[in-house]
Amino acid sequence: QVQLVESGGGSVQAGGSRRLSCAASGRASGNIAMAWFRQLPGKERALIAAISLRGGPAYYADSVKGRFTISRDIPKSTVYLQMNSLKPEDTGVYTCAAKLSGRNEYSWWGQGSQVTVWG
């Protein structure tokens, strides 16, 4: 089982930056891929960024490409989402997730963090 604990949500002025963290604990056999999902008001939750803990290119949704960066700190088992040039339309609930690489579905989920962009 893998447990995910997020931090870093909150309010930020448009044009500003915010960094979300997702700390993983527990044990899983195999390579873990971690991702950030976002649920905008009235919309379905959608994948916005993903990365493997063992390396390889990151994935970004077009809506965040060039503004958001997903990164990992392997010794800390933590994944970050650096969000720059935030827009009011980025307002939503951000949730980290993890899965075994090669699986289609994400098995473990964080608690979700509200990010509100104002101005």
Side-chain angles (χ1 to χ4, degrees):
Q1 282 287 2
V2 175
Q3 293 79 43
L4 303 176
V5 178
E6 301 171 27
S7 60
S11 296
V12 59
Q13 190 172 11
S17 299
R18 196 86 183 179
R19 189 178 80 161
L20 301 178
S21 300
C22 178
S25 61
R27 178 175 293 184
S29 57
N31 187 24
I32 298 293
M34 296 187 70
W36 287 96
F37 285 74
R38 177 173 74 179
Q39 186 167 21
L40 304 178
K43 300 289 183 65
E44 297 285 325
R45 184 169 58 190
L47 176 67
I48 57 171
I51 194 168
S52 168
L53 287 184
R54 291 188 183 177
Y59 161 83
Y60 296 99
D62 289 343
S63 58
V64 305
K65 198 173 294 182
R67 299 187 300 123
F68 291 12
T69 302
I70 187 171
S71 62
R72 59 187 180 267
D73 184 330
I74 295 175
K76 294 183 178 179
S77 297
T78 298
V79 170
Y80 304 97
L81 185 69
Q82 177 67 42
M83 305 182 290
N84 298 329
S85 302
L86 283 162
K87 307 173 184 179
E89 50 264 44
D90 291 317
T91 294
V93 178
Y94 289 71
T95 307
C96 70
K99 65 172 183 173
L100 292 174
S101 293
R103 297 276 179 91
N104 291 329
E105 300 294 326
Y106 283 84
S107 302
W108 303 288
W109 295 86
Q111 77 274 22
S113 299
Q114 175 70 41
V115 174
T116 301
V117 184
W118 54 275

